[in-house]
Amino acid sequence: MCKIRLYVMALTMMIVSGKTIAGGLLTNTNTNIAFNRNFARDGVIAIDGVYSNPAGVAFLSNGFHLSLNIQNVYQTRTIESGITVPSLQGTPFEHPFMLNGGEAVKTFKGNASAPILPSVQAALNYDKWGFQAGFSLVGGGGKCTFDHGLGSFERTISLIPALLYQTNQTYQAKYGIDLGLASNNPGYSVNSYIKGQQYIFGFQFGTTYKVNEHIAVYGGFRFNYIYNKYTGNITDISANIGGNNEKLYDYFGNKVTEAQTAAAAYAATAAGTSDPTTKAQLEAASALYGQAAQTFEATKNNFQDKYLDCTQNGWGITPIVGFDYKAGKLNIGTRLEFTNHLNIENDTKRDDTGLFRDGVNTPSDIPGIFTVGAQYEVLPTLRVMGGYHYFFDKNAKMADNKQKKLSSNTQEFLAGVEWDITKDLLVSAGGQRTQYGLGNGEYLNDMSFVTSSYSFGFGAKFRIAKNASVNIAYFFTSYEHFNKEYDGAVSLAGQEIPVHNTDRFTRTNKVLGAGVDIDF
């Protein structure tokens, strides 16, 4: 009876679950095709300034101005994850990911796409006053799918073969009993899947006032509505036991049946026994097998298929102010978006992880932004631009105060050039450097990460009518790799086993878009 109890207690240490929060430091500034072909729009006077330089829009001609845009976005997110168990050096269990038919470092790749990413900017100007409205996805905007899960899901599962082996060794050493858990070909397998969708819909409204021919100011706000949805599963957790690949939920289910059958048999025999001593022994054996059945049942449930279906919603308002100074060939624009403090609430249909309780609110602030930019007319047909963005990420509260793990706020440096080839054709190009304050990487995890990057874009603007133009553009982002190494511990057969984890993060981003600007 003792060996059953100890065996099951060891196996109940393995709890398989994963937290599937996505998001973090990522604000969409590509709200217009004009930005995609030239990122430095913060000091430009144009209709796309409804987002990038709202005060400068006051210097457009009187009348109604409209910009309609559609973008196609494709991204990948790649994490190369590893786990090492130093105490098992020289054994097959030192690099657990290798037991799933792979390498010591396993690659997890997610594909994200947004086939149609729309945005609209509109402005109505009078002599001194102007009124603006805009719509765009100021955060998120796509779906990301990891068809084979994530390293954080699989690390715990990868230790199951070591757990089975160690339990078997313990019994051989203490009791001379081979439980049949060891294997000459230790291994495991699991089916894992996660899909996340994130959208921050921004509806912006504001007013400009042209103080004089050189100065304009802006005041407005953006109503933000957040919609996130996460679905995923971890199924068919299996391991090689005694030379056979066993689905662990079914394997321990059979152990439950065996223990229940034994308990019933001892109870039936005890009922037909008149000798008090023998009867007591049989009843004790029945009780122990009954306990074993309950413990096996608990162990089995740890390996049960797990599913997640959670939607998150929230809303808030971002106040915005802007200022523009125009003097001859030079224009300077600046804007300040205040941090939007808000919570998102879980609407959970199913959560077998126990981490997404229905109705729970989580801080998910949208960080404030300060921008400044300038445009200078080198020639009547040639303009150069520059800009700077500063994001107040460390003031934006996140779940578990995750923002405190950042070493500094995000900064972006932008430059661009525009050339009027003819009065009906304009070409432009630009670049952007984004620097995140990631520190030692403690902020990052495989469910939510960014890395510093360089972006490059180019495109053209065609006049198709006296009052209408078409913009087309393409840009891509080259992300840096970020290496993160950290130590941890896993409870294994009653012991805290130190492990060493590694993650190498990177992404790709490609955007193609087209839009039309119309003046009425």
Side-chain angles (χ1 to χ4, degrees), residues 210-267:
K210 189 159 50 176
V211 178
N212 53 44
E213 63 180 359
H214 299 292
I215 296 174
V217 294
Y218 169 89
F221 67 92
R222 183 182 300 114
F223 173 83
N224 302 297
Y225 174 74
I226 297 179
Y227 174 86
N228 300 331
K229 184 173 179 62
Y230 305 107
T231 56
N233 59 62
I234 304 173
T235 63
D236 301 325
I237 300 172
S238 303
N240 193 306
I241 297 179
N244 297 312
N245 191 51
E246 301 280 359
K247 184 177 178 181
L248 296 179
Y249 182 79
D250 295 339
Y251 179 82
F252 287 107
N254 292 332
K255 293 296 181 184
V256 171
T257 302
E258 291 174 8
Q260 289 174 338
T261 301
Y266 277 115

Side-chain angles (χ1 to χ4, degrees), residues 98 118 225 341 409:
M98 296 181 70
Y225 174 74
H341 300 288
N409 289 318

Side-chain angles (χ1 to χ4, degrees), residues 30-52:
N30 55 311
T31 63
N32 191 284
I33 307 305
F35 173 91
N36 295 4
R37 59 180 171 80
N38 172 15
F39 304 120
R41 306 293 298 177
D42 304 292
V44 174
I45 297 173
I47 184 58
D48 62 289
V50 169
Y51 174 81
S52 58

